[in-house]
Amino acid sequence: MPENRLKLYETFIELLCSGWDLAKGLQRRSRLKAEFKILVLRKVAFLTHLARRKAFRQKELNQVVSELDLRISADGVDILLDELTADGVIHRSGEGFEFRHLSLQEYLAALEIFSDPSKESANGCLVSFLEGDQWWRDVVEFYVLLIRNPVAAVRWIVAQMKASKLNDSTAVGNCDHLKRLVRQGFSGL
């Protein structure tokens, strides 16, 4: 069993996107690299979460692929969707797709936010959560664990509280929650 929730999701996504069928103990043949699938999934997850939705349409996936300037044909996008569905990361839902579980969307959205060196999205998500927006709670929790440095994580949280002049009971309680998460998420603290 992985040492913490972050490791669990890292392992889970890597195995799924690599074509492992955990139930059958075999690896499926894949035409696409796991890194590519995860890159696309990160971006789709963040856009979907930013829109406060759990489902996305193929046109949104097409938009992500187009923005990445990967020059993938329509058939290539269909292959990508087929593989992501076969991998079990997403499933069809009505006229679109959903992540197999909301926590997968939240983890992948946190990965996308973490990849932004400006930290604008991370700061915005943190402030929203500190102000009481529970939609961002798990995304922020994953992000804090992705920092992998407990001192830096706590400094970032406190700095954003001060910069946003947050000091009400909701913000303080959510800040304390994240500090506890940091203590629990990193061994030896």
Side-chain angles (χ1 to χ4, degrees):
M1 183 76 165
E3 61 201 52
N4 64 36
R5 184 173 175 214
L6 178 64
K7 285 285 185 198
L8 177 68
Y9 280 81
E10 286 174 344
T11 302
F12 194 59
I13 290 294
E14 184 63 36
L15 286 172
L16 287 174
C17 288
S18 297
W20 280 99
D21 187 326
L22 299 175
K24 296 178 183 170
L26 57 93
Q27 188 167 11
R28 289 184 308 280
R29 190 170 253 170
S30 177
R31 295 173 63 182
L32 304 169
K33 291 187 177 205
E35 295 82 8
F36 168 70
K37 292 191 266 186
I38 293 170
L39 174 64
V40 171
L41 286 168
R42 282 180 8 209
K43 294 186 176 302
V44 169
F46 178 63
L47 290 174
T48 304
H49 211 76
L50 193 59
R52 302 181 86 80
R53 294 184 323 215
K54 296 178 184 177
F56 61 93
R57 296 183 185 270
Q58 183 168 344
K59 73 176 186 172
E60 292 156 329
L61 183 81
N62 291 342
Q63 175 189 345
V64 164
V65 170
S66 175
E67 288 173 4
L68 290 171
D69 197 25
L70 299 172
R71 298 183 182 128
I72 295 177
S73 68
D75 288 342
V77 173
D78 289 340
I79 290 168
L80 174 61
L81 279 170
D82 288 345
E83 284 202 18
L84 293 174
T85 303
D87 290 345
V89 180
I90 64 171
H91 63 95
R92 292 194 181 276
S93 174
E95 295 180 20
F97 299 88
E98 286 183 1
F99 287 87
R100 181 65 59 192
H101 193 275
L102 180 59
S103 63
L104 293 176
Q105 176 177 313
E106 293 163 335
Y107 167 72
L108 289 160
L111 281 179
E112 181 59 20
I113 294 166
F114 192 74
S115 73
D116 175 13
S118 76
K119 292 190 176 169
E120 284 181 44
S121 295
N123 294 341
C125 294
L126 174 61
V127 169
S128 291
F129 170 65
L130 290 172
E131 290 174 336
D133 186 350
Q134 294 299 305
W135 178 251
W136 292 102
R137 177 182 173 146
D138 287 339
V139 174
V140 170
E141 287 179 358
F142 280 123
Y143 182 91
V144 165
L145 293 174
L146 283 164
I147 294 172
R148 298 184 197 276
N149 177 330
V151 174
V154 170
R155 282 185 184 155
W156 172 68
I157 295 163
V158 171
Q160 289 309 304
M161 269 197 70
K162 287 180 181 175
S164 301
K165 298 182 174 140
L166 297 172
N167 59 10
D168 61 37
S169 61
T170 299
V172 171
N174 286 337
C175 180
D176 289 345
H177 165 76
L178 291 174
K179 288 178 183 178
R180 280 190 305 278
L181 174 77
V182 168
R183 282 194 300 275
Q184 293 166 355
F186 297 98
S187 59
L189 296 179

